Amino acid sequence: MKKLVAVSLLALVAAAPSFARNNAVTVTLESVLDMPEAKSKLDGSIKFYLAGAPKPKIIKKFGEDKSNAKTNAFNKTPEEACRWNALSALVKLQEHAKRDGANAVVDIVSYRDGGDFTSATEIQCSDGAFLSGIALKGTYATVK
């Protein structure tokens, strides 16, 4: 019996790398903001500007912050899971921006595995076998 348990555990450990998927998934910020759920969770008082995208003149900066979100990847395409994560991360950024008195989050970049993903139109998530995640960082600001 002990031998059977040991062999089973060894087989599980050997199979673990096949579950360790960590693929990059890219979606547009616009596709996140166009989600019906975004209309109810983001109230429009805070604007979001990706790094490299045109933005109004910055009047005051309040500092940089990070927002992370993860979701169950079951029954979702990698892009659907990424959009859900991005929306959750934007909601957190919105809440913090309001507390700081900002009306925007500017220079938003995605980061994963220690590196930044910068795009004027897109954000990037990590898609795993069971979980999907996103990490965003941006600067709270007051813009014209």
Side-chain angles (χ1 to χ4, degrees):
M1 181 66 167
K2 288 182 182 181
K3 211 176 225 183
L4 177 63
V5 171
V7 170
S8 297
L9 284 174
L10 183 61
L12 262 173
V13 170
S18 67
F19 295 115
R21 187 174 83 202
N22 184 13
N23 299 325
V25 176
T26 305
V27 298
T28 64
L29 177 61
E30 183 178 347
S31 72
V32 176
L33 298 176
D34 285 344
M35 293 171 62
E37 297 82 4
K39 308 285 188 231
S40 63
K41 295 179 185 252
L42 299 173
D43 62 18
S45 65
I46 306 298
K47 301 296 182 197
F48 301 98
Y49 300 97
L50 296 176
K55 62 183 169 280
K57 181 181 178 180
I58 296 174
I59 298 168
K60 181 179 180 182
K61 289 186 177 182
F62 296 92
E64 186 177 277
D65 196 13
K66 299 174 184 174
S67 180
N68 303 300
K70 291 189 188 307
T71 191
N72 175 334
F74 290 117
N75 294 324
K76 295 180 186 97
T77 67
E79 293 78 15
E80 288 171 325
C82 185
R83 282 191 288 274
W84 273 107
N85 287 329
L87 178 57
S88 295
L90 292 174
V91 167
K92 292 174 189 175
L93 290 172
Q94 173 183 261
E95 291 168 1
H96 192 150
K98 286 181 177 184
R99 282 195 309 262
D100 280 1
N103 67 359
V105 183
V106 300
D107 300 328
I108 298 170
V109 297
S110 308
Y111 67 97
R112 58 188 296 275
D113 299 329
D116 288 351
F117 173 81
T118 304
S119 168
T121 58
E122 297 176 320
I123 52 180
Q124 193 174 75
C125 300
S126 295
D127 177 51
F130 301 108
L131 287 175
S132 174
I134 192 168
L136 299 176
K137 58 183 171 181
T139 301
Y140 301 114
T142 299
V143 298
K144 269 193 164 183

